[in-house]
Amino acid sequence: MDGTVLVADDDRTIRTVLTQALTRAGCKVHATSSLTTLMRWVGEGKGDVVITDVIMPDGNGLEMLPKIGQDRPGLPVIVISAQNTIMTAIQAADAEAYDYLPKPFDLPDLMKRTARALESKQSRPRIQTVEDDRPDDLPLVGRTPVMQALYRVVAQVMNTDLPVLIWGESGTGKSLIARAIHDFSDRRSQPFVAVTPADLVDLEGPARVMARVRGGTLLIDEIGDIPDEIQARIVRMTDATGDDVPRFLATSQTDLAAAMESGAVRKDLYYRLSGATLHVPSLRERVDDIPLLAHHFLARGEKSGAAQRTLSDEAAEVFRTYSWPGNVRQLENTVRRLGLTSRLPEISAAEVKQALGSQPEMEPLQSVGDTEKLGASVARHLQRYFDLHGDMLPPAGLHGRILREVEAPLIEIALSATAGNQAKAAELLGINRNTLRKKITDLGIQVTRGRKMM
């Protein structure tokens, strides 16, 4: 890498590690614990990329982004934050940050993103940060990669007119995602209307719904359970034209691509609603977020007047090992009940077990693959990719793209597992070391000996 990176973080360890890693990669680095100093450097024309934390002793890093964009329109800013909520991801997108990573971040990943930012040397025009009237207490919390990926997609589609299909198990937060898309979008001053089959059962139902929504956001709940006749009416609603056409969102507990193949969902409806498809993961797919969510719900209880409560490490581990068939909704209800009934400030493992009763322990996530061969899993994902293009074929060059998308993460994971030792990684992969080096160069993989940053 070639360029100057400005680092702003109040954690000395993070400043030191980033300075060392970036310097070894060939960059010049200026690091500070002060936003005031950072803004002075930016104003003086220093830096080709900025890496900044959000919560700093003298201000909020996100609030500085419009000023940076005004002073230095072509300066990419990478935001890192321990505030692992959808709010942070959306605020970063609103402020047109070049990239956003939650803490703890993966150092090689951050280095790779910094390299891309240095290569770009430009960013899109920046807009103002989020207004104060947006909600700030959504229970959409998670630092796991699968949730952070979801947050990024939500931020990307928020202000488009694309219809959005949101699917996931009961209790995962599909309706919250839908509400967040509306409440943080340019349509937030217009109505948000959620409809069920009962609202559309008679012939005048669609017209009444369209009159209520008036160009706002229309949420169709559990689209997979709606009878075919009403699905046909929704198709006609999506074809409406004019200034007051709403944005369509839909939720489903099942993968509608599969439901479409089985005939449960009309193909014309599926293609109209799946402009963007968001999968909200179950708690089984984001086990490391469970203690984080539990602490979040306890903190919300304190704001509502409940006594201050914390989870013991043993209690948090009990939470991690249960199946949570009701997902986040069940977890929230359990935590709220424990916050009210616990006898001591620290909730014990015994109290958690009593609250959970005889709920079965969760099978390890890896066991999902025990019944499905890798080839079958890959085939399933590829078929979904084709399905998302509807009657159109994917862009040409598919073979090369797929090989690249599989090969790059395989090599990155192998390098991570061997702590960046290329000789060991080559042996693990069963290829020549020189071949590995060439692939690292060709695929643009950033090799850094490092560890997870806290």
Side-chain angles (χ1 to χ4, degrees):
M1 288 190 286
D2 182 25
T4 300
V5 181
L6 308 181
V7 176
D9 198 296
D10 60 347
D11 188 316
R12 178 181 298 177
T13 301
I14 289 180
R15 294 199 306 272
T16 300
V17 172
L18 286 180
T19 299
Q20 292 174 348
L22 289 165
T23 301
R24 285 198 302 268
C27 295
K28 295 179 181 179
V29 183
H30 298 287
T32 178
S33 61
S34 165
L35 282 177
T36 302
T37 301
L38 172 66
M39 296 306 295
R40 175 169 57 79
W41 287 341
V42 170
E44 293 172 352
K46 294 180 179 177
D48 300 303
V49 170
V50 172
I51 300 175
T52 180
D53 196 1
V54 174
I55 303 301
M56 298 282 282
D58 56 346
N60 185 301
L62 285 174
E63 294 174 358
M64 297 296 105
L65 263 64
K67 175 64 174 171
I68 293 174
Q70 180 180 348
D71 294 347
R72 300 276 300 282
L75 184 62
V77 181
I78 298 175
V79 174
I80 55 177
S81 175
Q83 294 184 309
N84 301 301
T85 70
I86 195 172
M87 277 290 298
T88 310
I90 289 177
Q91 286 174 332
D94 269 3
E96 289 293 314
Y98 177 84
D99 212 336
Y100 159 73
L101 278 88
K103 294 181 179 178
F105 57 80
D106 184 71
L107 182 56
D109 184 30
L110 178 56
M111 295 291 288
K112 186 162 51 179
R113 293 168 190 261
T114 304
R116 285 201 297 263
L118 284 168
E119 290 173 2
S120 74
K121 299 286 187 179
Q122 62 183 0
S123 61
R124 295 165 291 175
R126 301 177 185 275
I127 58 176
Q128 296 298 312
T129 53
V130 247
E131 285 80 356
D132 292 335
D133 62 346
R134 294 179 177 183
D136 59 1
D137 196 26
L138 292 167
L140 295 169
V141 177
R143 63 164 58 99
T144 52
V146 67
M147 285 303 292
Q148 291 299 322
L150 175 61
Y151 295 163
R152 289 192 184 93
V153 177
V154 169
Q156 290 167 359
V157 304
M158 185 174 56
N159 283 318
T160 71
D161 292 328
L162 280 175
V164 179
L165 178 59
I166 308 164
W167 71 280
E169 294 180 9
S170 175
T172 51
K174 300 185 296 295
S175 296
L176 286 171
I177 292 287
R179 187 77 213 201
I181 290 173
H182 172 80
D183 287 346
F184 291 88
S185 74
D186 295 336
R187 296 177 185 255
R188 60 186 174 277
S189 61
Q190 297 168 292
F192 177 88
V193 177
V195 299
T196 64
D199 298 304
L200 304 173
V201 69
D202 61 78
L203 292 176
E204 300 301 321
R208 287 196 299 268
V209 169
M210 296 292 273
R212 287 169 56 200
V213 72
R214 298 192 312 278
T217 301
L218 180 61
L219 171 63
I220 305 166
D221 199 27
E222 294 306 330
I223 190 74
D225 297 334
I226 294 178
D228 185 77
E229 180 182 356
I230 296 179
Q231 289 186 32
R233 292 176 184 173
I234 296 173
V235 169
R236 290 191 289 272
M237 292 169 67
T238 63
D239 290 337
T241 59
D243 295 335
D244 290 335
V245 173
R247 184 187 195 173
F248 286 85
L249 309 179
T251 66
S252 173
Q253 290 189 32
T254 58
D255 183 352
L256 284 196
M260 177 189 66
E261 292 300 325
S262 68
V265 173
R266 295 172 59 108
K267 289 187 177 182
D268 52 0
L269 178 60
Y270 172 76
Y271 293 136
R272 280 168 170 79
L273 294 179
S274 59
T277 302
L278 307 181
H279 175 229
V280 186
S282 67
L283 283 183
R284 297 186 303 281
E285 298 171 87
R286 46 183 298 218
V287 174
D288 290 340
D289 283 335
I290 293 175
L292 184 69
L293 281 162
H295 288 294
H296 173 76
F297 292 135
L298 286 173
R300 288 184 65 185
E302 290 176 31
K303 291 181 181 179
S304 302
Q308 184 175 0
R309 294 285 185 266
T310 60
L311 278 181
S312 69
D313 292 342
E314 294 79 8
E317 188 58 30
V318 173
F319 272 121
R320 284 171 52 90
T321 58
Y322 278 78
S323 60
W324 300 108
N327 288 294
V328 178
R329 186 182 298 121
Q330 181 189 8
L331 175 63
E332 180 178 13
N333 291 337
T334 303
V335 170
R336 290 178 60 184
R337 184 165 66 251
L338 284 166
L340 293 172
T341 60
S342 179
R343 297 185 298 273
L344 298 173
E346 185 176 75
I347 298 171
S348 68
E351 288 174 310
V352 173
K353 290 178 181 179
Q354 184 178 7
L356 292 172
S358 59
Q359 183 161 312
E361 290 192 355
M362 180 176 60
E363 293 182 0
L365 189 60
Q366 290 83 351
S367 66
V368 174
D370 291 346
T371 59
E372 183 178 37
K373 292 183 178 180
L374 178 60
S377 177
V378 171
R380 180 163 49 82
H381 287 284
L382 289 175
Q383 185 60 57
R384 283 193 59 203
Y385 177 73
F386 272 81
D387 290 343
L388 289 174
H389 287 82
D391 294 330
M392 304 289 291
L393 290 173
L398 179 62
H399 183 266
R401 288 201 308 275
I402 294 297
L403 289 183
R404 183 182 178 91
E405 289 189 19
V406 172
E407 190 172 36
L410 173 61
I411 292 175
E412 288 174 342
I413 292 170
L415 288 168
S416 176
T418 57
N421 188 310
Q422 294 186 28
K424 290 184 178 179
E427 181 182 0
L428 176 64
L429 292 167
I431 60 178
N432 182 275
R433 186 176 179 181
N434 290 332
T435 301
L436 175 61
R437 286 176 175 171
K438 186 177 186 304
K439 289 181 179 295
I440 288 172
T441 301
D442 292 344
L443 295 170
I445 296 172
Q446 183 68 42
V447 180
T448 306
R449 293 176 182 270
R451 55 186 177 84
K452 294 278 186 177
M453 290 295 303
M454 299 304 290

